[in-house]
Amino acid sequence: MATNKVATTKQGDKLPKSASGFEDYAGMGMENVTSSDILIPRLSILQALSPQVSKKKAEFIEGAEVGMICDVGTEEIFPDGIVYVPVFFEKQWLEWGPRSSNIGLAGIHKTDLILQECTWNERRQPVLPNGNYIAETAQMFGINVTAGMRKSFIPFTSTQLKKSRRWLSWATGEELRRSDGTKFTPPLFYRSYDLSTVDETNSEGDWSGWKIERGETLAELAETVGFDLREVMTDAKAFYDSLVAGAASADVASMQPSGEKEVNDAEGAM
């Protein structure tokens, strides 16, 4: 149930109950913050090679286990899954250096035209003449309700791309009626979704993948959880506007160095 997932919030429990006079100092100290300084944290599924589950790694998180959802930016884990409200979707074609090169993220391409310069290797990866490879990456930006309405993004690559397509099929299939009886497609943040993980396998190995289920509408969730619907809708619209304007960007560079052999990594589980 959504209420159980929301109740697992750790960081959200630490939020102040009121403004406590801070409104007099709104924005102080952030005068020089620009869009290039803002990165939206990534939600990832922990795998066997994720540093968060290895005690020998600096990124180790106490209590982290394979198959858990993790906010890589805040180092918070969600053993019971999360309730997520999507806000904005986009696709990018990320250019990565080979693992052995330690190059990491080498470029971000906004269209698939870069594939015209590629040949395909034995792992079915499109490779550029310079040896770098391209990973089609679907990115879902949204609000992690379970983490106290924290903004984050989820990248889908390789075998998980079909999950993002199914998600979009559900969202674009929503239909509401105006007061005059005409139909319209509501915004992406009209409905919440329950996200958890599931074991997956193919000839290349085993990993944990995303499990996405339709949840309550935002209005229903507001009643269940007890937040101000209009306030969250306004916040979602502001988040959408900032993404469209390029005033905030996803922390995609954190994907490769983590060493994850899984669907959130550039190479995926192929």
Side-chain angles (χ1 to χ4, degrees):
M1 295 291 292
T3 50
N4 292 335
K5 291 182 179 179
V6 174
T8 63
T9 302
K10 293 191 296 183
Q11 178 123 347
D13 293 340
K14 302 176 183 178
L15 295 176
K17 300 301 182 182
S18 68
S20 303
F22 283 101
E23 61 268 24
D24 296 335
Y25 310 100
M28 185 176 292
M30 294 181 282
E31 296 85 354
N32 297 317
V33 177
T34 66
S35 60
S36 61
D37 301 312
I38 301 173
L39 285 178
I40 301 167
R42 171 172 60 96
L43 288 173
S44 172
I45 300 176
L46 298 180
Q47 309 291 337
L49 296 182
S50 298
Q52 290 82 8
V53 301
S54 174
K55 292 184 178 181
K56 296 182 179 180
K57 300 291 185 179
E59 300 92 338
F60 173 70
I61 300 174
E62 189 70 37
E65 297 180 8
V66 172
M68 288 183 179
I69 298 174
C70 176
D71 187 317
V72 176
T74 64
E75 299 184 344
E76 185 173 359
I77 54 175
F78 303 94
D80 301 318
I82 63 173
V83 175
Y84 196 77
V85 177
V87 172
F88 180 74
F89 173 84
E90 73 171 349
K91 286 179 70 174
Q92 293 180 339
W93 285 259
L94 303 183
E95 179 180 342
W96 299 93
R99 282 187 181 275
S100 58
S101 69
N102 293 319
I103 291 175
L105 183 65
I108 298 176
H109 304 275
K110 296 294 186 180
T111 73
D112 62 357
L113 292 178
I114 188 65
L115 296 178
Q116 297 179 7
E117 303 176 29
C118 297
T119 56
W120 271 251
N121 64 14
E122 68 281 357
R123 297 186 66 192
R124 303 188 299 282
Q125 294 172 318
V127 181
L128 291 165
N130 62 9
N132 295 341
Y133 60 90
I134 301 297
E136 179 183 350
T137 307
Q139 299 174 353
M140 187 68 81
F141 296 82
I143 299 171
N144 184 351
V145 180
T146 307
M149 300 296 180
R150 183 186 305 133
K151 298 175 181 64
S152 57
F153 86 102
I154 304 171
F156 297 87
T157 65
S158 188
T159 60
Q160 301 303 286
L161 284 169
K162 61 185 178 182
K163 309 286 184 68
S164 70
R165 296 186 186 110
R166 186 182 304 122
W167 194 346
L168 291 174
S169 294
W170 285 334
T172 57
E174 299 274 15
E175 213 172 60
L176 300 179
R177 289 186 181 274
R178 299 181 178 89
S179 57
D180 63 3
T182 59
K183 298 178 182 179
F184 72 97
T185 301
L188 194 53
F189 53 82
Y190 167 71
R191 181 179 299 278
S192 68
Y193 293 81
D194 296 330
L195 306 187
S196 56
T197 66
V198 62
D199 293 336
E200 298 184 5
T201 185
N202 65 14
S203 60
E204 299 294 329
D206 304 320
W207 67 93
S208 295
W210 289 101
K211 181 178 180 180
I212 304 170
E213 300 174 290
R214 284 160 54 95
E216 296 178 302
T217 66
L218 194 61
E220 293 169 338
L221 189 64
E223 291 290 329
T224 301
V225 179
F227 58 75
D228 186 290
L229 175 60
R230 181 56 58 181
E231 181 178 314
V232 173
M233 289 177 65
T234 300
D235 192 37
K237 174 59 165 57
F239 187 31
Y240 167 85
D241 289 340
S242 69
L243 291 165
V244 172
S249 57
D251 185 18
V252 294
S254 70
M255 292 167 61
Q256 174 87 341
S258 65
E260 297 162 338
K261 179 188 176 294
E262 44 85 48
V263 295
N264 291 321
D265 183 83
E267 290 191 8
M270 297 295 285

